[in-house]
Amino acid sequence: MNSPLFAAPKLLDGVVAIVDSQPLLESDINTRFQVIKDRIPGGVMTAGIRRQILNQLIEETVQINYGKRLGIRIPQENTDAAVLNVAQKFSTDLGGLKQLLSRQGIDYSRYRQQIENEILINAVKQRVIKDRISITEQEISDFISASQNTQSSKNELHLRHIIVRAKNETEALAKIKQIASGIASENDFINQAITYSDGQFALEGGDLGWRPVSQLPALFTKAINTQKGPLIGPLKSNAGYHLLWVIEKRSANVQLQAQTKTRHILLQPNEIRTEQQTVALINELYKRAMSGEDFAGLASEYSDDQGSTLQGGDLGWVKLGMMVPAFEKVMTATKTGAVSKPFRSQFGWHILKVEDRRKEDISESVKQQQAEKALVAQKQDFVLSNWLDELKESAFIDVKGPRVK
């Protein structure tokens, strides 16, 4: 999400665009500007910033509509978990989050809908990636061989990115050259990205975050290795023309990563079991587990985690970073063979049992899975960019005023 909280909307003051019969309002633009205002140099709504915000709102709308046409629905509990995760970031609970939103003049139902929309868009993108990207066994084999021969593939880069989509190649090339001529520093790059980039991270100054070198498009890695930075490009791809700014490089940690084999029991308050009753039951199950009762049997009988109940609460081998912080903290502190005391996460009340620990599995199957993941990551940005262009071309988009490009 762009920001866990956004400013209160102004009064509705006119339709700025129609997207597949759905109106976008001037207040939508003003609300989104308040979200990103602190990241905008000078904090001023310019014509370029307004154009970028409207373009972002249009792109979000066509993606949401596409997901609905596919019949993708976000389970209520997924949205609940995401909202509670935001509340935890503010060291509060759901009631506290609602109060915080209310003090800022933000309607909770609107805020919740925004989170659900973001989850839906992510689900749609994953469906598109799955449908449009296929990786061959030969690609995987070649990737593993290349990775074994170079340490640099394990390094990471923090990048900024500008793309000008090439609907008219001559105009796009002229535009990217003009943008490049105005860049002498990272701040220049940020300003140009915010104002002119057609990329999904334009309003973040084109910030792609840290990316493993192995997961970057070959076009990018080749240019970074051969050109003197930090400004790289222009580079031409099927999606358009690109500029990169290399913020920082870092070497990967080559140490093997620890994994923990874990079982857990999850209890969630519901319509027939209050919070107090849930706490009492999790404490009872903890005592039974500590007295020697079979943990897997207790999980199968009582756990509310549908993903692991049939496996006796078995979560398999868990790497650091896979679980929410509250769960990971307790798992890390629990000794092998021991059962943790009851603790709460955003999902409910848990007890867990650590069954074993090991270093990362580096078997051939794991290498193949990692290679496939990296190859998909190399292709997904271009695939999603082209797909989004197709969506916008096929949608009914009526912009009131200058056309958004």
Side-chain angles (χ1 to χ4, degrees):
M1 282 171 265
N2 291 327
S3 174
L5 296 175
F6 48 79
K10 297 179 180 180
L11 293 176
L12 304 185
D13 50 358
V15 175
V16 294
I18 302 291
V19 182
D20 289 334
S21 77
Q22 181 173 339
L24 297 178
L25 306 172
E26 188 67 40
S27 63
D28 295 325
I29 293 178
N30 293 331
T31 295
R32 184 62 57 89
F33 177 71
Q34 294 303 320
V35 175
I36 65 170
K37 185 176 181 180
D38 291 342
R39 302 197 298 269
I40 302 297
V44 177
M45 171 88 85
T46 64
I49 299 301
R50 186 182 184 282
R51 177 184 65 83
Q52 288 283 37
I53 292 174
L54 180 53
N55 187 61
Q56 187 179 73
L57 292 171
I58 289 172
E59 291 184 349
E60 289 174 3
T61 302
V62 297
Q63 290 175 90
I64 290 168
N65 291 345
Y66 180 82
K68 290 179 178 178
R69 289 197 299 272
L70 290 182
I72 297 177
R73 297 291 182 267
I74 303 304
Q76 180 178 329
E77 55 267 27
N78 289 22
T79 307
D80 290 342
V83 172
L84 287 174
N85 188 45
V86 174
Q88 283 196 329
K89 291 180 180 178
F90 286 91
S91 301
T92 187
D93 56 13
L94 180 58
L97 178 63
K98 288 181 177 180
Q99 292 178 5
L100 184 60
L101 292 168
S102 178
R103 286 197 295 270
Q104 296 192 28
I106 300 169
D107 178 67
Y108 171 72
S109 61
R110 177 174 179 173
Y111 175 71
R112 179 186 170 85
Q113 185 61 54
Q114 175 64 23
I115 290 180
E116 183 176 322
N117 288 344
E118 292 174 1
I119 298 172
L120 175 61
I121 289 173
N122 285 332
V124 169
K125 288 180 177 179
Q126 291 305 311
R127 176 78 67 88
V128 172
I129 289 169
K130 182 179 179 181
D131 290 344
R132 297 199 177 196
I133 299 179
S134 59
I135 306 298
T136 67
E137 292 184 3
Q138 186 61 50
E139 285 180 291
I140 292 173
S141 178
D142 292 343
F143 180 90
I144 293 173
S145 297
S147 298
Q148 290 173 339
N149 294 330
T150 174
Q151 173 61 32
S152 63
S153 65
K154 300 179 177 65
N155 295 337
E156 296 180 327
L157 296 172
H158 188 181
L159 300 175
R160 293 189 184 275
H161 175 237
I162 291 173
I163 179 173
V164 174
R165 292 175 181 154
K167 294 181 180 179
N168 180 304
E169 190 165 320
T170 302
E171 292 180 3
L173 180 58
K175 182 177 179 180
I176 200 74
K177 286 182 176 179
Q178 182 181 4
I179 292 171
S181 69
I183 298 174
S185 67
E186 185 178 357
N187 281 337
D188 291 338
F189 194 101
I190 292 170
N191 290 334
Q192 296 287 348
I194 289 173
T195 306
Y196 298 113
S197 178
D198 294 326
Q200 62 176 314
F201 300 108
L203 291 172
E204 286 75 34
D207 191 356
L208 299 181
W210 285 99
R211 298 283 185 97
V213 171
S214 63
Q215 295 185 15
L216 291 172
L219 174 69
F220 289 3
T221 55
K222 182 178 179 180
I224 291 169
N225 290 333
T226 56
Q227 296 185 24
K228 292 183 178 180
L231 180 63
I232 306 295
L235 309 174
K236 183 177 183 296
S237 75
N238 292 334
Y241 287 92
H242 309 260
L243 291 172
L244 300 172
W245 186 274
V246 181
I247 302 173
E248 193 176 354
K249 301 179 181 180
R250 68 185 180 193
S251 297
N253 184 353
V254 297
Q255 295 179 353
L256 294 179
Q257 188 175 23
Q259 295 180 322
T260 305
K261 195 170 191 307
T262 309
R263 292 183 187 271
H264 85 134
I265 297 171
L266 169 67
L267 298 183
Q268 298 172 312
N270 52 43
E271 293 82 0
I272 60 174
R273 187 173 63 209
T274 66
E275 177 82 10
Q276 186 176 4
Q277 291 170 330
T278 302
V279 172
L281 179 55
I282 198 73
N283 280 313
E284 178 190 337
L285 295 178
Y286 170 69
K287 292 177 182 178
R288 291 169 63 177
M290 291 298 292
S291 67
E293 197 164 339
D294 181 52
F295 192 96
L298 292 172
S300 295
E301 183 175 355
Y302 291 100
S303 182
D304 292 328
D305 180 12
Q306 299 300 315
S308 67
T309 299
L310 295 178
Q311 293 77 40
D314 187 11
L315 298 175
W317 289 99
V318 178
K319 296 181 182 179
L320 295 178
M322 288 178 61
M323 299 298 182
V324 295
F327 191 99
E328 186 171 285
K329 181 179 179 181
V330 174
M331 181 183 71
T332 302
T334 303
K335 295 181 179 179
T336 302
V339 176
S340 74
K341 292 182 178 180
F343 64 96
R344 209 188 197 294
S345 78
Q346 66 203 57
F347 300 107
W349 284 92
H350 309 254
I351 53 176
L352 64 80
K353 182 177 182 180
V354 173
E355 296 188 329
D356 199 1
R357 285 190 165 93
R358 70 178 184 185
K359 296 299 183 181
E360 184 178 10
D361 180 4
I362 54 173
S363 65
E364 191 63 28
S365 62
V366 171
K367 289 181 182 178
Q368 291 177 351
Q369 292 170 8
Q370 293 174 341
E372 183 174 11
K373 179 181 178 181
L375 288 165
V376 169
Q378 288 179 7
K379 300 180 180 184
Q380 68 182 30
D381 287 346
F382 291 159
V383 167
L384 289 173
S385 177
N386 291 336
W387 163 73
L388 188 53
D389 282 343
E390 294 171 13
L391 270 189
K392 292 171 71 175
E393 287 293 332
S394 63
F396 173 79
I397 301 175
D398 179 18
V399 176
K400 309 301 181 180
R403 179 76 177 178
V404 175
K405 297 182 179 179

